[in-house]
Amino acid sequence: MRAKSAALAILMIIVVSLISAAIPASAQRQGSLELVTQVVSIRPGRPFSLSVLMQGGSRDHLVSATVHSRVGSRSQFQLQLNGLAEFSAPIYSFAPTPVKTIRTGKTELITLEFTTTDDPAEQADILLTAEGGVFPVLVRLADANGNQQDELLTYLVVTPKPVDEFEPLRVNVTLPVQAPPALQPDQSSSIDPASLSKIEAILEVVAGRPSMNITLAVVPETLVALKRDVDTRLLVEQFEIAVARRELLRLPYVNVSESAWNKTSQIEGYERLLEAGDRVLKGEVDARSIGTAAFLDIDATPTIVGMLGDLGYEQIIVADRQLKVLPGDLFPFTVTQQFIVRDQRGQRHPAAVIDTALGAHFGANENPILDAHNFIADLAILWFDQPTVARGVIVRPSAGWDADPQVLRIALSGITSMRVLRAVDLNTFFGEVATLKASGQVSPTGESRRAIMVRNLNPPGPTEQIAAFATQLGQAESLLSSYEEILGGQTRDTAPLSELLLVSGARGIEQNRRLEYLDSIDEAVTMAIRSIEGPEPQVVSITAREASIPIFIENGLSTPAAVVLRFSSDKLEFPEGQRLRVTLEPGSNEFSFPIKSRSSGDAKLRVTVLSPDEAIQLDGPDQIIVRSTVFSGLGLLILVGALVILALWWLRQILEKRRETTYPG
């Protein structure tokens, strides 16, 4: 059996070797190209250049390039990027040239330069029209025998001249400054290293462009964690530079699923998250403004649109894949205008779309420089669709993007350097971008064009399930609320517990982990309230029907505590009621409480210590024996009667003794 297996293994090795030998040399890759630098855009008549790095090839490898006719549409552009579309006719070809003759210095860096003109009478590599466009540039690498080894696709962006008669494309870039919750159930705080690296990269680039309009989506809990960590002080300083006089997105304290909270009737809880986020952003950040636009989750419904409107959001931003597709004959171009979405009550909300294709360029390739230039080319193609209309796009990088500072720096430079583009914040976006007309993007002007397009949301995606957590969250909220009433409001002791409560509902936390946050609150409150002890069992004697008895309560906390003392007894009455609200100072506290005894003898007085809202029993019921030595009305009557009879008997005895003495015998 072993011999058979060995023979089979040898046969497989031979077959693999034969197949490898049969593969032509052209299929065995011996070199690759990587884009290193590129001119962002040019106007006709200006030179264009790009530099590529050859890796794994030889000095005798051949480099060639072809510039093709302008891209006709955005769909063609996207198909080309995916390798699914043919290119138009070449307008210029750079003949195959050995690397050794065009490389830069002794490195494998290769720079290709092309001259352009818009005047047919002039000599140049590429003849361009004044209207400009976006042109595919294919750079190829072949071995010395002409066998292709690699191919690199980039784009030459040519802006028209002049551009003053056109409307620039408003570009809003919303960048995240966020991390998973840093606060842990044990109240320690640690920002995820990968998220911290992303934040550093974004802040580094944004801080270097203080005059550029950018919207920052700062998660308040992340900001709190940054300021709490002594190791991130320099990053906090950079953060303050980056956000100064910029627009911030209004966000809840942590990222949560609005739909999940809505389904569990936790709207008040979501509102508390939003209020907590407002306090942090308005109190801790020197921002120019807090935006009133809300980015919808993938699971959002018209009900969520209405909820956000009720909470003060004035505009809705929705991903393009969340909207029903518009008819292509009326809307042939990518939607780059405002429109309307309706909530569950039919109320209308101004809305715009996140262009997910633009965001997808970030991190699309292993070469970040190529990603950045593809992003710029895509923006240019959108502008060329309708250059005379005031339009805009909203860009938000995909969640999985590693925040490469190189791609971000080039992308932002492209936006600011091209006159056909203008960076705006969301407030400016909704103030300047035209509305999408229901009659279509290319219909003639007329009465119908006054109607703004209403777009419908697709059925929502799956919603995070938090029903079981929501029940326990409500219990934890009640417990913490009662504890805060004991201490007279939120204090330095309750603030960390409030933060645990806010963080527990963050998106993506597993159910068991959520419960750990709530358990931590329960343990902290339980330990604290155990420090308040009711009266010790004792016997108190009274000698009158109405009396005040002393009550001793121990407060082991370091702060005053408000409590309610509740009294109950079968034989005692309470002239001032059965409840007494008192404030316990740290240490031992003595109070006098009026009672009224119904009869003599022993009576059991039960004392229970409660929170001010009477939701938490802090101690008790503790039992005090009240011993009354006071006669009742009937007892007093019997006593008086007995004394009268005794007096009469004594008087009779005295009189009889006198008679016997006076009249003896």
Side-chain angles (χ1 to χ4, degrees), residues 313-459:
Y313 287 101
E314 297 177 3
Q315 302 94 16
I316 300 298
I317 302 174
V318 56
D320 44 18
R321 63 179 180 275
Q322 292 176 255
L323 296 162
K324 293 189 180 299
V325 177
L326 296 173
D329 55 338
L330 293 178
F331 302 92
F333 306 119
T334 300
V335 173
T336 50
Q337 292 120 295
Q338 296 184 60
F339 49 90
I340 294 294
V341 293
R342 288 196 177 102
D343 61 25
Q344 80 282 10
R345 296 164 298 207
Q347 294 181 355
R348 297 157 63 92
H349 300 262
V353 66
I354 305 171
D355 196 307
T356 53
L358 283 171
H361 289 300
F362 294 84
N365 296 287
E366 293 181 359
N367 185 348
I369 297 173
L370 185 61
D371 288 341
H373 285 283
N374 286 340
F375 168 76
I376 294 166
D378 204 351
L379 285 175
I381 290 170
L382 286 169
W383 180 83
F384 278 109
D385 280 345
Q386 293 176 289
T388 59
V389 180
R391 298 172 303 130
V393 291
I394 296 173
V395 182
R396 197 173 188 178
S398 58
W401 179 50
D402 289 334
D404 188 298
Q406 201 170 22
V407 62
L408 184 58
R409 192 175 289 109
I410 295 172
L412 298 184
S413 296
I415 295 172
T416 55
S417 65
M418 293 173 60
R419 295 180 64 190
V420 297
L421 307 176
R422 183 154 69 87
V424 296
D425 58 22
L426 290 172
N427 182 55
T428 304
F429 180 98
F430 282 99
E432 295 185 359
V433 171
T435 54
L436 184 68
K437 306 305 178 182
S439 55
Q441 291 172 304
V442 293
S443 61
T445 58
E447 192 70 22
S448 63
R449 287 186 63 82
R450 294 182 181 177
I452 302 176
M453 183 69 193
V454 177
R455 302 195 67 182
N456 298 315
L457 298 177
N458 283 323

Side-chain angles (χ1 to χ4, degrees), residues 172 174 215-218 247-252 258 270 274 278 281 289-297 304-305 308-309 311-318 338 349-354 394 396 425-431:
N172 170 260
T174 297
T215 300
L216 293 174
V218 180
E247 179 186 65
L248 297 186
L249 204 61
R250 187 187 183 206
L251 293 175
E258 289 89 357
Y270 180 79
L274 203 56
D278 289 343
L281 295 182
S289 64
I290 305 295
T292 57
F295 283 75
L296 286 190
D297 281 337
I304 301 303
V305 174
L308 293 172
L311 292 173
Y313 287 101
E314 297 177 3
Q315 302 94 16
I316 300 298
I317 302 174
V318 56
Q338 296 184 60
H349 300 262
V353 66
I354 305 171
I394 296 173
R396 197 173 188 178
D425 58 22
L426 290 172
N427 182 55
T428 304
F429 180 98
F430 282 99

Side-chain angles (χ1 to χ4, degrees), residues 214-327:
I214 297 170
T215 300
L216 293 174
V218 180
V219 172
E221 198 271 344
T222 301
L223 176 57
V224 170
L226 286 173
K227 292 197 170 187
R228 180 180 291 149
D229 190 344
V230 295
D231 293 331
T232 57
R233 286 178 181 173
L234 293 177
L235 186 58
V236 170
E237 292 177 6
Q238 196 169 51
F239 170 85
E240 291 172 350
I241 296 172
V243 303
R245 297 179 298 281
R246 279 201 167 98
E247 179 186 65
L248 297 186
L249 204 61
R250 187 187 183 206
L251 293 175
Y253 190 75
V254 289
N255 279 327
V256 296
S257 168
E258 289 89 357
S259 295
W261 283 64
N262 179 266
K263 284 187 176 182
T264 55
S265 301
Q266 281 284 344
I267 301 302
E268 291 182 358
Y270 180 79
E271 191 169 0
R272 282 194 291 273
L273 284 169
L274 203 56
E275 290 171 352
D278 289 343
R279 285 194 299 271
V280 172
L281 295 182
K282 293 177 181 178
E284 301 287 340
V285 181
D286 180 25
R288 181 176 63 205
S289 64
I290 305 295
T292 57
F295 283 75
L296 286 190
D297 281 337
I298 193 67
D299 57 358
T301 62
T303 299
I304 301 303
V305 174
M307 181 190 84
L308 293 172
D310 293 341
L311 292 173
Y313 287 101
E314 297 177 3
Q315 302 94 16
I316 300 298
I317 302 174
V318 56
D320 44 18
R321 63 179 180 275
Q322 292 176 255
L323 296 162
K324 293 189 180 299
V325 177
L326 296 173

Side-chain angles (χ1 to χ4, degrees), residues 608-642:
T608 305
V609 186
L610 304 167
S611 60
D613 59 1
E614 301 190 24
I616 304 177
Q617 181 172 310
L618 307 179
D619 197 19
D622 298 302
Q623 189 166 278
I624 298 174
I625 302 299
V626 179
R627 182 161 294 162
S628 174
T629 58
V630 182
F631 292 107
S632 65
L634 179 59
L636 183 60
L637 183 61
I638 293 171
L639 177 60
V640 172

Side-chain angles (χ1 to χ4, degrees), residues 163-170 383 386-391 420:
V163 297
D164 296 339
E165 60 193 78
F166 301 114
E167 285 281 353
L169 181 71
R170 281 74 170 174
W383 180 83
Q386 293 176 289
T388 59
V389 180
R391 298 172 303 130
V420 297

Side-chain angles (χ1 to χ4, degrees), residues 129-203:
T129 60
E131 64 182 3
V134 178
F135 302 83
V137 179
L138 278 173
V139 182
R140 296 182 177 88
L141 178 69
D143 62 20
N145 296 320
N147 299 312
Q148 184 166 313
Q149 303 300 305
D150 196 16
E151 182 178 81
L152 184 148
L153 170 64
T154 186
Y155 288 86
L156 162 61
V157 177
V158 182
T159 58
K161 62 175 189 181
V163 297
D164 296 339
E165 60 193 78
F166 301 114
E167 285 281 353
L169 181 71
R170 281 74 170 174
V171 183
N172 170 260
V173 178
T174 297
L175 295 173
V177 179
Q178 60 188 37
L183 184 65
Q184 304 303 309
D186 62 1
Q187 297 190 36
S188 64
S189 180
S190 177
I191 299 180
D192 170 61
S195 299
L196 188 61
S197 177
K198 290 182 182 181
I199 293 171
E200 289 174 343
I202 290 172
L203 294 181

Side-chain angles (χ1 to χ4, degrees), residues 21 82 90 99 103 187 213 265 278 366 410 499 517 577:
N82 294 323
V99 170
R103 69 178 181 173
Q187 297 190 36
N213 286 320
S265 301
D278 289 343
E366 293 181 359
I410 295 172
E499 192 176 355
Y517 283 93

